[in-house]
Amino acid sequence: MPKNSKVVKRELDDDVTESVKDLLSNEDSGDDSFKKSSLMVVDVQEDKDRDIEECSDTEEERPAWNSKLQYILAQVGFSVGLGNVWRFPYLCQKNGGGAYLVPYLILLVVIGIPLFFLELAVGQRIRRGSIGVWNYISPRLGGIGFASCVVCFFVALYYNVIIGWSLFYFSQSFQQPLPWDQCPLVKNKTTAFVEPECEKSSATTFYWYREALDISSSITESGGLNWRMVVCLLSAWVMVCLAMIKGIQSSGKVMYFSSLFPYVVLICFLVRALLLKGSVDGISHMFTPKLEIMLEPKVWREAATQVFFALGLGFGGVIAFSSYNKRDNNCHFDAVLVSFINFFTSVLATLVVFAVLGFKANIMNEKCVALNTDKIIGFLNSGVLSHDLIPHHMNFSSINTEDYHQMTDIFKGVKETEFSSLGLDPCDIKDELNKAVQGTGLAFIAFTEAMTHFPASPFWSVMFFLMLVNLGLGSMFGTIEGIITPLVDTFKVRKEFLTVGCCLLAFSIGLIFVQRSGNYFVAMFDDYSATLPLLIVVVLENIAVAWVYGTDKFFEDLKDMLGFSPYRFYYYMWKYVSPLVLLALLAASIIQMGMNPPTYSAWIGELAVEKTLSYPPWGLAMCVTLVAFAILPVPVVFILRYFNLIEEDSNSLSAVSYKKGRIIQENSSPEDDDTSLIEGRTPNEVPSPMPGKSIYREPSSSTTTDMDTAPNGRYGIGYLMADMPDMPESDL
């Protein structure tokens, strides 16, 4: 502190904290009693250089990324998830193959990158989690942050169950042959026969539904807990808790493996698959464009939805990770980089999936040809077909696909009316590739079946499911950070305690997903807990920044923060194009939900088939409750703010700020009676519209015991935000 500063103080107990509201009111009134307060008022005009240095030291109290690479890997790990592996390839196959990439890229540029840039910018500018950020932008829209936390919690509940499933398959992959390679035999006293349910479906389908999930026939039959899956779910939550317990200081180190390992596996799978017979058929099938499909509105709606969820918009994880950045970080470069890494990862995963599915289709086609050849030999022996119809060069002991199709074409030409009565399957690779699979059906059935035909199949199975675990963990870290960071910032609790409590609560609730009927609840949460609420959240985020806070003002903030003004393109996207596209997408989603009553696919074990069933009344009520509960914080906070039902000096939901002043570090030794230090220029500024409860004292770095709990970091050391355009960059 400069020696020539004017300082007055009074003695206070160490445990006393001053109300920000009282300090500001005293500051405004200029009352003499303010001069006798515990604040040490320093004239910063006399030592501006020291002011910058002290503020910079205070800002470093918030945890920060160890490197830019660690931060990029965290954002990539959060945005690149299981959907890139099992959702994007399905949409690409369903919506015109290579032609689907055109609407996807257009929508990535129109809504994906601008909205991703917006979330990165507000997190970096305000340096708070989602709750603090949207309270700062507009206190009446503060419910947006709470809605994001609720959605993150819902998604975390069932997303970690998928990681548990992957852990189970990973643990079962260390054996030769793989346990889902063949149908099990049922033995009685005299004979042994193939399990009927497996014989009617396939070995991998049977293993998934009966051995792994032990699934019930409907959502109304809980069937009790599947204890193997309970252990796997517990293991998944322990992994997440240990990685997140120290915040980014612990999860950031894990990111080096969890974010990079999936790329190693995908590249290895691609190289291996390209060496297998039929892989080129799968890739050519994927990239064959169907331009007529590209003009359908449904294709654009599904592309917009995929862009929206692929980048993790609305969850709060993007904002939380960005809030630990330096204020002058180039978040525009980060937004473009992460968005295109996400896109190219989706294309890479699609190449791998279709190369492997092409190999699988070739195997299935060869089996079909062999089965039909046996039928044809029987028809020849019984006289149904004449030997004269068989080409002379054809050898039934080693018939290939081309010879088979030549032979069946002859049969169709000679016995056109009687051919259908022969009961021969079509055996067409394109028909096999057109069987659309996604989600768990792709990962745990189709892909798993293909790997059983790989040489050294246990090795590839271990690699594949370890990749799924890492993809899931990367997304879980961002999801949990979207819950923990805003709650720590707002309610000033220890991050370790909150992380452990959150994981324990989520595991307890997550037990409904590891019942025998748990897979149906996973589908319910996946369909209704996130889609509509997240769309509403992002629409409100866009409106809050572009129309409430003001696009012009936001551009000035970005220029001050980045050192350059962003392209004017973003101005029009944020203010006009993105809100309109998002509202259209929201309306389309609501219409689709209204036209298609909630249903789920149930596995009927007796028939060994999936059957679409309607939810029972309580299931419908649960679907509606998930959507309503996720959105509820938005109108609740708006009403409380609008009618001034939240007292300014009570536990406010908003962040604390006031202009042209801030807290700086104090000496917390017992000999010093100073409770806090505030350094200001002119004590007559109007306070921010977001009053807080109190000022939390910051302990010195030399003292590690008797620390006060505060908003951020390991011990929650917090600081106050303010809109101070005339202050140095380091002041924010």
Side-chain angles (χ1 to χ4, degrees), residues 491-502:
F491 298 108
K492 329 301 191 236
V493 295
R494 283 279 292 271
K495 178 166 284 190
E496 295 93 330
F497 295 156
L498 182 60
T499 302
V500 173
C502 180

Side-chain angles (χ1 to χ4, degrees), residues 194-225:
V194 177
E195 171 66 48
E197 185 179 351
C198 184
E199 190 174 20
K200 294 175 184 176
S201 54
S202 68
T204 51
T205 304
F206 173 81
Y207 191 86
W208 166 243
Y209 283 118
R210 191 54 54 211
E211 296 293 334
L213 299 182
D214 193 18
I215 199 166
S216 61
S217 57
S218 73
I219 196 172
T220 56
E221 302 174 21
S222 67
L225 292 175

Side-chain angles (χ1 to χ4, degrees), residues 152-311:
C152 279
F153 186 72
F154 283 162
V155 171
L157 288 177
Y158 75 85
Y159 205 85
N160 225 22
V161 176
I162 301 173
I163 298 177
W165 293 342
S166 302
L167 286 173
F168 174 77
Y169 269 79
F170 172 75
S171 67
Q172 299 299 308
S173 298
F174 295 91
Q175 46 189 307
Q176 176 71 26
L178 292 169
W180 49 83
D181 185 39
Q182 299 290 335
C183 285
L185 295 176
V186 180
K187 298 180 180 179
N188 55 26
K189 295 181 180 180
T190 57
T191 60
F193 56 93
V194 177
E195 171 66 48
E197 185 179 351
C198 184
E199 190 174 20
K200 294 175 184 176
S201 54
S202 68
T204 51
T205 304
F206 173 81
Y207 191 86
W208 166 243
Y209 283 118
R210 191 54 54 211
E211 296 293 334
L213 299 182
D214 193 18
I215 199 166
S216 61
S217 57
S218 73
I219 196 172
T220 56
E221 302 174 21
S222 67
L225 292 175
N226 182 341
W227 288 105
R228 290 187 297 181
M229 288 303 169
V230 171
V231 173
C232 292
L233 179 63
L234 178 61
S235 302
W237 276 115
V238 169
M239 292 168 64
V240 171
C241 185
L242 291 178
M244 297 298 301
I245 196 165
K246 299 292 185 182
I248 63 170
Q249 305 302 329
S250 55
S251 65
K253 296 179 177 61
V254 180
M255 292 293 180
Y256 286 108
F257 180 77
S258 65
S259 297
L260 293 176
F261 180 74
Y263 290 95
V264 175
V265 176
L266 285 174
I267 293 172
C268 290
F269 260 99
L270 181 61
V271 173
R272 184 67 189 92
L274 289 175
L275 299 176
L276 297 172
K277 183 180 179 181
S279 60
V280 177
D281 295 331
I283 293 176
S284 62
H285 177 79
M286 184 202 84
F287 281 108
T288 301
K290 302 170 186 175
L291 299 177
E292 67 280 0
I293 298 180
M294 193 177 69
L295 301 177
E296 297 179 6
K298 182 181 178 182
V299 174
W300 290 81
R301 180 180 62 81
E302 291 189 344
T305 305
Q306 179 63 18
V307 167
F308 181 82
F309 288 107
L311 295 175

Side-chain angles (χ1 to χ4, degrees), residues 9 28 30 72 91 111 155 170 196 234 368 378 391 401 411 418 439 460 503 553 639 669 671 689 694 707:
K9 61 181 180 178
D28 290 338
I72 293 296
L91 291 174
I111 64 171
V155 171
F170 172 75
L234 178 61
C368 178
T401 305
F411 294 163
E418 302 176 11
W460 293 105
C503 291
K553 186 178 179 183
I639 292 171
S669 62
E671 294 79 15
S694 60
M707 289 190 175

Side-chain angles (χ1 to χ4, degrees), residues 140-153:
R140 291 183 180 179
L141 295 177
I144 296 174
F146 287 96
S148 293
C149 289
V150 173
V151 173
C152 279
F153 186 72

